Amino acid sequence: MFGVLCALEVLFRSVPNNYSYKNELLNTKYEGVILGNSHAYRGLLAENLQYNSINLSNVSQSIDIDYEWFQKVILQKDLTFVIVNVSFPTVLKTLKESKEKWRIKYYNIYTDLQLDYKINNNLEIVSSNSDEKIKKISDYFFNSNLIQFTCLKKGSYPLNVTFHDFKKKASITTKRHFDEGLKYFDKNIETLKLIINKANTENIKVILVTPPMHEEYRALVDKRYSDKLFNTLKVIENMDGVEYLNFYSDMAFDDSMYKDADHLNLKGASIFTKMINDKLTETLYVK
């Protein structure tokens, strides 16, 4: 029986996924890396930057996991810059204490990161959806064209769709983003500072980026949260080696550029990435 379970575990792990793919990106050559949650995963296209970069952001990825990734990427001696997404979930959430904590398993099993040692977060066979896993194994071995990574070549994944019910989406999203209040704010800011300090020791430029948010989202954000975030970032941008780019209420982004109330679509992501690329050129590469 033990042998059967071991064989199943090996089989379940044999199917590549977004996390294992991004882990493999660590073994490539790159001069820049993008970290963050879905706002960076959808909105910042490493593939469109003229400077060789990879995108290690993920859905619901919290700043403590960004820090774990960063400790891996600084081993890449060619690293010149790191782009860190800083939106409200960055400072208000932690994956380990969220409804999305089931995602921890993917980091533990499919990447070089080890976020915890709980059995259910380190074994595929103890998690649910066995039928779905068996189907993926079948597709992978017998119909491999059905296996698709949910990211592009360098790790980004914009969606070429627009859900026009921005007001409804904003209501749902802001309730989720702010339901923990400021519980994790101070700890997450300290982790962000750890990334900056470690980058400074390696002479790596830190670009902090707050992405654009739809006006319906911004309308529902309590001023105490926005004041807290942006006043804190004004202090942090004075740290050595930091450039802060705030696009939160940038009017250059209209409805056609948003996937929903807090994510850009492909059009918006392309424009946003171009803006970041221009700033990189101005900040890092103009002699």
Side-chain angles (χ1 to χ4, degrees):
M1 182 63 177
F2 179 73
V4 172
L5 292 176
C6 287
L8 279 175
E9 183 68 24
V10 170
L11 272 175
F12 287 153
R13 293 181 181 216
S14 66
V15 180
N17 58 39
N18 184 48
Y19 294 83
S20 62
Y21 181 79
K22 292 198 175 193
N23 199 60
E24 287 299 314
L25 288 176
L26 293 176
N27 298 320
T28 64
K29 289 287 186 181
Y30 47 88
E31 56 187 305
V33 64
I34 297 168
L35 300 172
N37 53 37
S38 59
H39 297 147
Y41 180 48
R42 306 288 187 207
L44 279 170
L45 310 182
E47 296 77 9
N48 286 14
L49 291 175
Q50 70 183 90
Y51 310 104
N52 187 25
S53 310
I54 59 174
N55 190 328
L56 295 179
S57 58
N58 258 307
V59 174
S60 298
Q61 185 164 291
S62 47
I63 190 68
D64 55 320
I65 303 176
D66 290 338
Y67 178 64
E68 295 296 329
W69 277 124
F70 189 62
Q71 294 192 89
K72 299 295 181 183
V73 301
I74 57 175
L75 300 175
Q76 164 65 268
K77 297 305 180 184
D78 294 330
L79 192 65
T80 302
F81 66 90
V82 56
I83 298 172
V84 185
N85 174 89
V86 185
S87 50
F88 284 109
T90 310
V91 296
L92 299 178
K93 293 291 186 180
T94 178
L95 182 61
K96 294 178 182 178
E97 302 298 330
S98 74
K99 293 178 181 178
E100 300 285 306
K101 60 186 176 182
W102 52 269
R103 296 181 187 274
I104 292 172
K105 173 188 72 174
Y106 294 109
Y107 293 96
N108 288 342
I109 295 176
Y110 297 105
T111 79
D112 291 337
L113 310 185
Q114 186 67 51
L115 304 184
D116 69 17
Y117 293 93
K118 295 179 181 177
I119 292 177
N120 63 319
N121 286 335
N122 285 275
L123 289 173
E124 284 282 15
I125 57 173
V126 299
S127 59
S128 57
N129 299 322
S130 293
D131 290 344
E132 180 182 333
K133 289 187 185 122
I134 291 170
K135 183 180 185 306
K136 285 183 178 179
I137 290 170
S138 176
D139 289 341
Y140 180 61
F141 285 105
F142 301 107
N143 198 357
S144 60
N145 63 308
L146 293 179
I147 300 297
Q148 296 181 343
F149 295 113
T150 56
C151 65
L152 302 178
K153 185 177 180 180
K154 293 187 177 180
S156 313
Y157 193 55
L159 292 178
N160 193 23
V161 295
T162 298
F163 302 114
H164 291 283
D165 50 348
F166 294 116
K167 190 169 186 176
K168 179 180 178 181
K169 293 288 185 182
S171 177
I172 295 170
T173 303
T174 51
K175 285 177 182 176
R176 184 174 71 251
H177 285 176
F178 298 96
D179 62 356
E180 296 279 3
L182 295 169
K183 182 178 180 180
Y184 301 109
F185 185 91
D186 290 340
K187 183 177 180 179
N188 287 337
I189 289 296
E190 287 307 308
T191 303
L192 176 59
K193 290 178 180 178
L194 284 176
I195 294 175
I196 294 169
N197 289 331
K198 192 170 282 288
N200 279 334
T201 64
E202 301 292 334
N203 199 29
I204 297 166
K205 183 73 173 182
V206 179
I207 314 292
L208 304 181
V209 178
T210 298
M213 297 287 144
H214 193 275
E215 61 182 348
E216 294 289 358
Y217 178 98
R218 289 184 276 115
L220 295 177
V221 175
D222 190 314
K223 192 173 185 294
R224 66 188 173 117
Y225 291 110
S226 54
D227 286 350
K228 181 80 169 175
L229 174 60
F230 297 125
N231 288 338
T232 301
L233 289 174
K234 282 180 182 178
V235 175
I236 289 177
E237 72 175 320
N238 290 321
M239 294 177 67
D240 289 341
V242 176
E243 178 89 17
Y244 176 48
L245 308 176
N246 185 359
F247 295 86
Y248 178 65
S249 56
D250 196 308
M251 299 307 292
F253 298 87
D254 59 32
D255 287 3
S256 70
M257 300 174 191
Y258 285 93
K259 167 187 168 283
D260 51 38
D262 67 313
H263 296 95
L264 297 170
N265 59 19
L266 177 59
K267 179 182 178 182
S270 299
I271 293 170
F272 186 39
T273 303
K274 173 67 165 57
M275 292 176 172
I276 300 300
N277 188 84
D278 291 346
K279 180 54 70 170
L280 279 172
T281 299
E282 176 187 320
T283 303
L284 299 176
Y285 294 98
V286 173
K287 304 300 183 182

